[in-house]
Structure formats: structure tokens, C-alpha cells
Amino acid sequence: MEEARGEGQENIKNGTIKKLAILTGGGDCPGLNAVIRAAVKTACYRGIEVIGIQDGFRGAVEGDFRTLGLKDVSGILPRGGTILGTTNRDNPFAYPTLVEGTLQIQDRSEEVLGRFKAEGIDALIAIGGDGSLSIALEFAKKGLNVVGVPKTIDNDLMATDLTFGFQTAVATAQDALDRLHTTAESHHRIMILEVMGRYAGWIALYAGVAGGADVILIPEVPYQLESIAKAVKRRADQGKHFSIIVVAEGAKPFGGEMVVERTMQGRTDPIKLGGIGAKLAAELEVLTAMETRVTVLGHLQRGGSPIAVDRVLSTRYGVAAVEAALDKDYGMMVALQGQVIVRVPIEEAVHQLKKVVTDDPVLLAARSMGIELGD
């Protein structure tokens, strides 16, 4: 893997790059605007025009473009969300299109390529998670000059140590746990905090350790209800008449399935999870005879201003993405490995999620402190 050439360098030649496009796809997360700002400022100071694509790949299909200059990104560093909008529904390779009153799924990728050519766009910076970067990879295979930037609060993209937005989501969950501690102790209750994490439990694990949880349940470690109940009762025997449980939305019992709220057709992943916290609360009340309450953080984890570490990481990613385009290093994603921004092929980052492994240092630390993982 090659270190991202040019990070921090002063003398970067423009070459033939005159116009860059940038889009944000998939779920929103803190730090998107920081990436956009860094990319636009880096490009503008090198005489490159930047085109913002509205609402992810929908805007690429529909031609919903806007010019982004220095004034457009002024003051957006601390803002949550994305000034370009985003969607996790619109895939140009399978795009819902109304034809003579009938909704049809069509491949409209060639239209996107033609539109980019007509607009004189030399390269695309695609900011997204597994779904959006998978689409970007397909465009790269069709000849589009693409540079990827890894984004997901779940931190489950391969080939990078950290995705921006993750640390802010963890901080949000940790703050919730701090507040739940006081009310749980006052009322001698079990408090369950349900956090995001469909297939990977990074948020639950890190927030649980940072927030002093007694039980942490993640998708990678199927739980047994009896183990959780025993841990709660053991705390009560020690004079601790409350327990704090963090559960990822994708956690499931040993031999069981994830709790699905509903399916939503047209999304990259049609399954919408939700309800594991309520299910767990009802079961634990029966087994422990302790009053149990559930808090579901939901989209609070996606919203708000990014914390400092995510602002810095997002800024580095935005700068590195433009420099990769300047180097014509296409089909690559900028990634953090150790303390260094590197470039890795997009195909190394998608189609396989980065999950918590049994020897993860944070997981091992949790076990050593007696935190119950349910297995």
C-alpha cells in the first residue's frame, strides 16, 4: 500500500485536472461538511473548479449540479450533515425510472458518464460507505476517474483503521451512558441503551467501554440471555442494584436472528433494524424482577457537530482525495493506517465488512474488567 503522495507537500502541480466533482452518498454522519470544505479549498487554491453533486448518485443521474467555491464552504466545518444532501436509495445501475406511467428499474450509468463528459468533469470524489463506494467502483470499471473517501459512523469499512464520523457517534453514545448512569442508580433499574451497528459492533463496544457499561452486546458475539441475567444478579449481590447495558441494533441471541422493524425496498440494504432493546428489556424483567428501561439513540448518533478528532480526520481525507486526483491515482480510496493517510484500491474496502474480532484489544480489555458480553 502506498502512502498518499503529497499530504502536507507544498509544490503540487495541477497537470490537466481542471474540474472535479464531489458527492456524498449513503447515510449522513458528522464530518461530511469538513471533507467537502477541505476538498474544495485544496482544489480552489490550485485553480481547479469544483462541482457539487446534490443528493448523492441521484444528482449524478438527474444532472443536479452546483459550483462550489470558497464562499460556499465558509463556516461549514462545525456543521453536521452535508450541504450537498445524500441518499442511500438511488443506484444509477438500478435506478427507478417512470416509463409511460410504469416504474421500471433501469441501468442509467451511461447517462451519468455522458453527463460528466459534457460537463467537462475530469474526476469524481465519492464520499461514502460500502454501498456508495461499491457504486463508485462500478463507475471506475466503466472508465470514470474516481477517488473514494471512507464514511460511516459504524467504522465497518475494510482497508482503513478509522472512518470519520465514528468517534463522534461514540462520543454521543458515551454521553448518553453518563446520563443514564445517574438515573439507573437512583431508581435501581436496568438501563438499556440501543445504538447503531447492523453487522459490526464498534459503536457499542467503544461507547460501552468509554461509558462504563456493565454489559455490551454486539453482532459478532451472539448472546445468551441467562448470562446477562446472571451478570445483573451478580451485581445486585455485590450491592450494585442497577446495571447499564449497551446493545447494538444488530445483536442477536445465540441461535437466533436480528430484530427487524421492517423492510424498505429501494435502499442499498432493505432491512431496517430496531427493537432489540425493547425485546431484551421485556425478557430481563422476567428473569431478574428488576424494572428495566430502554433508550434508543437512533439518528442522534448521525447528527450534530463533529468532535475535533473527526474534524481533523475529515480534513486530511478531503485534502488527500484531491491530491490523489492530481496524481491521477484513480480507482483508489484514501484511508488511515496507523497515523498515515494511504491510498488503497476501492475494491479492498468494499463487499466485506470490517467486524470486531475475538482478539480485538478493546474487546479483550472489556473482558478483563469483567464486562459481560453475553457469551
Side-chain angles (χ1 to χ4, degrees):
M1 309 237 177
E2 180 182 4
E3 181 177 342
R5 294 185 293 271
E7 184 186 46
Q9 294 180 5
E10 297 295 332
N11 300 315
I12 302 175
K13 295 184 178 180
N14 188 346
T16 58
I17 295 291
K18 296 181 179 179
K19 188 180 289 190
L20 281 175
I22 186 168
L23 64 77
T24 55
D28 68 313
C29 80
L32 281 168
N33 283 327
V35 178
I36 295 169
R37 171 181 176 270
V40 170
K41 294 188 72 169
T42 302
C44 285
Y45 283 127
R46 287 159 176 76
I48 302 170
E49 183 180 353
V50 181
I51 300 297
I53 301 176
Q54 295 289 146
D55 300 329
F57 283 103
R58 182 206 64 80
V61 174
E62 305 294 340
D64 194 355
F65 299 164
R66 60 181 283 200
T67 301
L68 292 177
L70 294 177
K71 184 177 179 181
D72 299 292
V73 298
S74 178
I76 70 171
L77 177 63
R79 283 175 57 182
T82 162
I83 61 170
L84 292 177
T86 187
T87 176
N88 54 10
R89 291 177 177 272
D90 299 311
N91 180 352
F93 293 90
Y95 196 81
T97 304
L98 195 63
V99 180
E100 296 180 353
T102 303
L103 194 64
Q104 299 181 6
I105 304 300
Q106 296 184 346
D107 182 350
R108 299 182 61 179
S109 59
E110 288 297 329
E111 293 180 43
V112 174
L113 294 174
R115 197 180 300 279
F116 275 35
K117 184 176 181 181
E119 291 286 337
I121 294 172
D122 298 304
L124 169 68
I125 295 175
I127 310 169
D130 182 75
S132 298
L133 291 182
S134 293
I135 295 171
L137 177 60
E138 292 306 308
F139 273 116
K141 292 177 180 178
K142 292 176 76 77
L144 184 65
N145 297 330
V146 177
V147 176
V149 177
K151 173 240 50 158
T152 169
I153 65 169
D154 292 321
N155 197 41
D156 58 1
L157 268 178
M158 297 292 288
T160 184
D161 290 347
L162 276 179
T163 56
F164 71 88
F166 167 67
Q167 296 282 22
T168 301
V170 169
T172 299
Q174 172 250 303
D175 180 66
L177 286 171
D178 289 349
R179 297 172 185 275
L180 287 174
H181 256 100
T182 59
T183 183
E185 188 171 8
S186 297
H187 289 277
H188 312 303
R189 288 171 174 162
I190 299 173
M191 287 291 186
I192 298 176
L193 181 70
E194 182 181 320
V195 300
M196 287 183 173
R198 181 177 300 245
Y199 304 114
W202 296 106
I203 294 177
L205 176 61
Y206 274 62
V209 170
D214 307 301
V215 179
I216 300 174
L217 305 177
I218 60 177
E220 295 89 340
V221 183
Y223 67 83
Q224 301 194 53
L225 193 62
E226 294 75 13
S227 297
I228 303 170
K230 286 179 180 178
V232 171
K233 291 177 180 178
R234 185 166 56 248
R235 283 178 51 79
D237 291 340
Q238 297 168 347
K240 303 172 183 178
H241 300 289
F242 72 97
S243 289
I244 303 294
I245 299 175
V246 181
V247 57
E249 62 184 349
K252 56 188 177 183
F254 186 81
E257 301 294 332
M258 296 185 296
V259 178
V260 177
E261 180 181 305
R262 66 182 188 273
T263 57
M264 303 173 65
Q265 299 304 320
R267 289 166 38 123
T268 305
D269 191 333
I271 296 175
K272 185 179 186 302
L273 299 182
I276 181 61
K279 178 178 183 293
L280 194 62
E283 293 170 335
L284 284 177
E285 280 196 338
V286 173
L287 289 179
T288 66
M290 287 183 66
E291 191 174 2
T292 306
R293 292 289 186 270
V294 181
T295 299
V296 181
L297 275 188
H299 284 77
L300 284 173
Q301 295 157 95
R302 293 194 180 280
S305 182
I307 62 174
V309 66
D310 275 333
R311 296 186 193 191
V312 173
L313 181 58
S314 298
T315 298
R316 293 181 69 192
Y317 277 153
V319 172
V322 173
E323 291 177 348
L326 287 170
D327 287 340
K328 298 184 175 62
D329 208 357
Y330 300 126
M332 307 294 280
M333 182 188 82
V334 294
L336 181 70
Q337 295 184 358
Q339 296 299 314
V340 181
I341 300 290
V342 301
R343 301 172 190 166
V344 298
I346 294 176
E347 58 259 35
E348 291 186 9
V350 299
H351 304 319
Q352 180 182 357
L353 297 179
K354 180 181 71 178
K355 299 184 178 183
V356 179
V357 293
T358 55
D359 61 348
D360 179 85
V362 180
L363 187 74
L364 294 178
R367 288 193 186 278
S368 294
M369 292 189 296
I371 295 176
E372 178 60 50
L373 296 168
D375 53 347

